[in-house]
Every structure is written in C-alpha cells, then in structure tokens.
Amino acid sequence: MSRLSISFTKPNDDWLNAQVDSQEYKSKSDVVNDLIRQARREQEQIEIIRSKLIRAEQRGFTDQTPEQIREEVRKELRIDGIL
C-alpha cells in the first residue's frame, strides 16, 4: 500500500476527526479511502448512464410508454448491479 502526505483545511480535518471519534472508522486513512471508493463507484455509474444515453440517442424514437421505459431502465440497472 502506498503512503501519501495530504494537507487538509481545518473544517475538513475536524470532520475527518469526528468520523474517527464516532468509531465508524479506525483512522483518517480509512475515511479517505472510503470516500475515494464511493467517488469511484459514482463515476462508474455516471459512465454507465452516459453510455446508455448515447445508445438511446442512436436508436431514435420509441413507441414505449414512459412507464415501460422506466421499468426497462430499472431492469438494466439491476442487471448492472447498480440497484
């Protein structure tokens, strides 16, 4: 595991300390790693949605109702492990 020195603003350092003090995390490093994991998952979800939007634009118009479209998207998101 690599080590890195990071400087935090006072409010961010206070927040990190509060997370550790709450015993939800063992260290500031755990908090930062968890935040990075969350950001990476969010970015992956954005990329999936972006690719689906591009694919939908390329397909053109549909005769599906809005509810049918929503249900299809829900199924795809469950398959992709997002929901």
Side-chain angles (χ1 to χ4, degrees):
M1 186 175 305
S2 65
R3 296 182 62 83
L4 180 67
S5 176
I6 303 174
S7 299
F8 295 106
T9 62
K10 175 97 170 87
N12 287 345
D13 191 49
D14 291 344
W15 184 83
L16 285 168
N17 286 326
Q19 301 309 302
V20 175
D21 291 345
S22 74
Q23 297 181 347
E24 186 169 346
Y25 297 94
K26 294 179 182 179
S27 68
K28 289 181 187 180
S29 292
D30 286 343
V31 180
V32 172
N33 277 310
D34 191 42
L35 291 171
I36 292 170
R37 278 190 293 275
Q38 290 175 34
R40 290 173 61 196
R41 279 192 301 268
E42 183 178 300
Q43 186 62 41
E44 289 170 1
Q45 291 173 357
I46 289 169
E47 291 304 320
I48 289 168
I49 292 168
R50 181 176 285 124
S51 70
K52 290 182 185 299
L53 287 171
I54 291 168
R55 202 168 57 233
E57 285 178 342
Q58 292 170 344
R59 280 191 242 154
F61 292 100
T62 181
D63 293 330
Q64 291 178 302
T65 66
E67 185 52 43
Q68 289 171 321
I69 294 169
R70 282 190 288 272
E71 185 56 35
E72 185 177 314
V73 169
R74 285 185 195 107
K75 286 179 185 175
E76 288 181 12
L77 291 174
R78 282 192 290 272
I79 289 169
D80 290 338
I82 296 173
L83 293 178

